[in-house]
Amino acid sequence: MKFYRKQPIEAEQFDGSDEMVDKYELIDAGTMLGTHHSPELYLTGSGKVDVGDWIATGVNGGYWPIADDVFKEKYAGLPVIPNYVAEYIENMKSSHRDILEAIHYWLRTSDIDEYMEDNSETFVRAWLDGYVVEEDK
């Protein structure tokens, strides 16, 4: 799952499973992060990870724990948008249009108009921060 704070990061919530203990080279569930000695690991302090905490992965492959309450306060999930809105955003960007042009573009289709009326803040976040495309129903 991707989350953002200025730039997207990869993070997943620790569930205490043996699979996650192995994946992140933990000593065991609920204790210190194990033998993985990435410089990024030490940015957040103790390295203790509890069930429910988040494990973030940096661009260089290092990872570090983030307490659940801190994660929820500082990070937000990317907005989920329909495929047709994602296509609109990509078409506008590839045509070198800016966000104001995308919002006020006079050739928008009625489905984009309707989406923008009801979801303008989500559209702006998706444009600026990235997005996840909604799964087909």
Side-chain angles (χ1 to χ4, degrees), residues 26-137:
L26 306 178
I27 294 171
D28 58 28
T31 32
M32 302 296 284
L33 287 177
T35 58
H36 188 81
H37 295 294
S38 163
E40 294 181 27
L41 180 63
Y42 300 104
L43 293 177
T44 58
S46 74
K48 181 171 174 44
V49 60
D50 294 315
V51 172
D53 288 349
W54 293 81
I55 300 175
T57 302
V59 294
N60 296 326
Y63 44 82
W64 65 96
I66 305 171
D68 185 49
D69 58 336
V70 172
F71 184 84
K72 288 177 181 173
E73 179 184 318
K74 294 189 177 196
Y75 296 87
L78 292 175
V80 178
I81 61 174
N83 186 56
Y84 67 91
V85 176
E87 288 175 357
Y88 177 72
I89 288 172
E90 294 310 313
N91 288 337
M92 295 301 288
K93 286 183 173 188
S94 68
S95 298
H96 306 287
R97 301 200 183 270
D98 63 29
I99 192 168
L100 287 176
E101 289 175 301
I103 292 169
H104 299 293
Y105 194 61
W106 62 276
L107 292 176
R108 287 192 323 219
T109 60
S110 60
D111 56 344
I112 296 292
D113 280 340
E114 187 176 318
Y115 183 86
M116 296 284 275
E117 285 178 23
D118 298 333
N119 303 283
S120 59
E121 289 182 17
T122 302
F123 178 83
V124 170
R125 278 200 52 226
W127 181 282
L128 296 173
D129 299 327
Y131 53 83
V132 175
V133 176
E134 186 175 79
E135 291 184 23
D136 292 331
K137 296 176 184 173

